[in-house]
Amino acid sequence: MDKFTNYVEIQAEKAENLSFCRGIKLLYIRDKVETMLEMIGRGSIFEEYTIHNITHIDQMLKIVEWLIPEKTKKSMTYAEWLMLTLAIYFHDLGMVVTRDEFADRDKTTFKDYKAKILSETEQSEYGEYVKQQEDTFLYQEFVRENHAVRIRQWIEGKNTSNLGEANIVRNEINDILKNLDKMFKVDLAMICESHHKDDIFEFSKYKVKKMYGNTDNEKVNLNYIAIILRIADLLHITRDRTPSVTRKLINVTNPISVVEWEKQNAVRAVGAKEQRNEDGAIDGAKQKDTIEITAYFDGADTAEAYFGLSSYLQYTRKELAKCSEIVEKAQKREGATEYEFPWREIDESQIEVIGFEKKKLQ
């Protein structure tokens, strides 16, 4: 890539000359991250998971373009765009596993995790599947569960040997971000971890006004950035994450992955639903507040994936409600009136099913 075309990255690149950046180059960082993301799914670790490479990053950046209202876009600082862009770049890098790390897995807390999972699933149907698997399956579950903590510690430069020995990856990340101010870097690490935590309501932690320099463009609303990262990640569920050729090549067998792949393979589009006026006509001037899901499930064998998607969207609705409430509190209590989060509902009317009923039998 020679230059950025996405609005989010274009705005973020403007932060390169701010005092806390000391000459970082966003294009260089993106190229390095793209190379590292390609490691996710290699060597049998995460090969059955949905795609987490640079296409996931690009789709999240596109979602952010419509997710943030125009009023808020105009008031966001260069530092905020940079924090958001870097958080999107790095949030999944904790899933990178080297062969050496996997070979040394018994030197970590993985042993305790494995014993716990085997014990908890012993009496279940899923337990039979788990027992039949090699350590590869359980180790990727161990990493997935801890990947947000891993990337936070790596960005902070800390030793994470209890969660997997990753000196090579940590050193690479340290080199990529070496020109970034330490305070900004620590907060970036916190934001990356936040997408797997349930504490973004804590304004004392995710400050609404964090200054990294004396100019207006060096201010960041950490709370809002954490919210946008979380929702953009949740909303990237379209089938570009589950290409059918890849699906056939790796022959997915993990029951969780099968449902996940089929669920996302059915989703054609996720976007903002057009608002209508009192006469029922589309009104482009009205603020959009509903996210529209377009999907197609063909055949009774896709029913489980449909109900998996339905359950996932129910969870996403709850996250939207939580985030809306947090943003409203930030507006009233912290004076962050220019930061808006209008999203209230998810419209499933464009989800089509063939060969089964949408309602589950009670």
Side-chain angles (χ1 to χ4, degrees):
M1 178 182 284
D2 297 324
K3 65 178 183 177
F4 293 118
T5 56
N6 178 275
Y7 178 85
V8 181
E9 290 172 303
I10 289 170
Q11 295 302 105
E13 191 177 31
K14 295 175 183 177
E16 289 182 351
N17 295 320
L18 297 177
S19 66
F20 63 87
C21 290
R22 299 200 298 274
I24 68 160
K25 290 297 176 186
L26 193 60
L27 270 170
Y28 168 80
I29 293 173
R30 180 193 160 97
D31 286 345
K32 289 288 187 179
V33 169
E34 181 173 4
T35 301
M36 294 178 74
L37 285 170
E38 289 296 333
M39 293 175 65
I40 299 175
R42 289 189 180 179
S44 77
I45 299 289
F46 293 118
E47 68 175 2
E48 294 189 359
Y49 277 55
T50 53
I51 287 174
H52 286 82
N53 61 19
I54 202 68
T55 60
H56 174 46
I57 303 304
D58 286 334
Q59 289 304 313
M60 282 182 64
L61 290 166
K62 287 179 182 177
I63 288 169
V64 167
E65 281 198 75
W66 59 260
L67 193 64
I68 300 178
E70 288 303 318
K71 175 188 171 184
T72 303
K73 276 185 186 175
K74 289 173 184 174
S75 62
M76 281 178 65
T77 68
Y78 297 156
E80 285 171 333
W81 289 114
L82 180 65
M83 182 69 83
L84 178 57
T85 300
L86 291 178
I88 290 172
Y89 283 178
F90 283 92
H91 76 285
D92 274 338
L93 266 179
M95 292 172 69
V96 172
V97 178
T98 64
R99 284 187 172 85
D100 288 343
E101 177 190 335
F102 181 64
D104 291 336
R105 61 192 178 280
D106 287 336
K107 298 177 182 177
T108 71
T109 54
F110 170 66
K111 288 185 298 183
D112 301 328
Y113 175 85
K114 178 181 176 181
K116 177 173 173 284
I117 295 298
L118 288 174
S119 173
E120 288 177 351
T121 60
E122 190 174 6
Q123 303 301 321
S124 69
E125 183 181 343
Y126 182 58
E128 285 303 313
Y129 172 83
V130 173
K131 277 189 279 187
Q132 291 167 15
Q133 304 308 304
E134 300 292 333
D135 274 4
T136 301
F137 170 71
L138 282 177
Y139 194 74
Q140 67 189 20
E141 288 295 291
F142 170 73
V143 169
R144 184 182 63 82
E145 194 169 297
N146 292 291
H147 80 276
V149 182
R150 281 159 60 101
I151 189 56
R152 176 175 185 166
Q153 292 182 349
W154 295 350
I155 292 174
E156 291 176 343
K158 293 179 179 175
N159 191 330
T160 60
S161 57
N162 64 317
L163 297 177
E165 186 51 66
N167 285 332
I168 295 173
V169 182
R170 186 175 70 250
N171 292 341
E172 182 69 16
I173 290 172
N174 184 61
D175 185 63
I176 293 170
L177 298 175
K178 64 186 177 184
N179 291 325
L180 201 59
D181 178 77
K182 180 67 182 291
M183 184 168 74
F184 189 91
K185 199 155 47 175
V186 167
D187 286 340
L188 169 63
M190 178 182 69
I191 296 293
C192 286
E193 185 187 28
S194 74
H195 83 287
H196 260 233
K197 290 181 75 70
D198 192 25
D199 65 351
I200 51 176
F201 55 85
E202 296 180 15
F203 295 131
S204 59
K205 180 178 180 181
Y206 304 97
K207 292 180 172 61
V208 168
K209 185 180 179 181
K210 186 70 176 282
M211 300 298 298
Y212 300 97
N214 281 320
T215 67
D216 290 340
N217 263 314
E218 292 173 296
K219 173 180 72 72
V220 175
N221 181 339
L222 294 172
N223 181 263
Y224 191 75
I225 299 304
I227 284 171
I228 296 300
L229 172 68
R230 174 176 301 227
I231 299 303
D233 193 33
L234 280 173
L235 291 178
H236 184 208
I237 51 173
T238 47
R239 60 179 175 168
D240 51 278
R241 296 190 78 182
T242 58
S244 58
V245 173
T246 307
R247 167 77 163 82
K248 290 170 184 172
L249 283 175
I250 66 175
N251 187 23
V252 176
T253 55
N254 173 352
I256 294 176
S257 293
V258 168
V259 174
E260 192 66 23
W261 279 72
E262 298 298 348
K263 177 181 79 181
Q264 294 192 9
N265 194 45
V267 180
R268 269 44 174 184
V270 176
K273 184 177 183 178
E274 296 289 353
Q275 288 282 67
R276 295 180 180 273
N277 59 25
E278 293 79 6
D279 299 324
I282 289 175
D283 186 349
K286 292 187 73 174
Q287 173 61 57
K288 298 179 179 69
D289 63 4
T290 300
I291 295 164
E292 186 175 67
I293 310 294
T294 303
Y296 185 76
F297 293 89
D298 188 4
D301 58 334
T302 64
E304 188 177 357
Y306 164 75
F307 291 117
L309 176 63
S310 184
S311 177
Y312 182 84
L313 294 179
Q314 192 174 355
Y315 167 76
T316 305
R317 275 191 189 88
K318 291 177 182 176
E319 289 298 306
L320 289 179
K322 261 195 279 187
C323 290
S324 296
E325 187 180 337
I326 292 167
V327 170
E328 285 175 10
K329 280 185 180 176
Q331 291 172 339
K332 292 173 184 174
R333 287 172 40 186
E334 307 297 322
T337 53
E338 65 270 38
Y339 299 90
E340 297 181 343
F341 189 83
W343 309 104
R344 298 291 183 271
E345 188 50 79
I346 293 177
D347 180 8
E348 297 183 40
S349 64
Q350 299 304 313
I351 299 178
E352 296 180 47
V353 302
I354 307 295
F356 62 93
E357 292 293 326
K358 282 187 178 182
K359 282 190 174 182
K360 255 186 175 178
L361 293 175
Q362 295 301 315

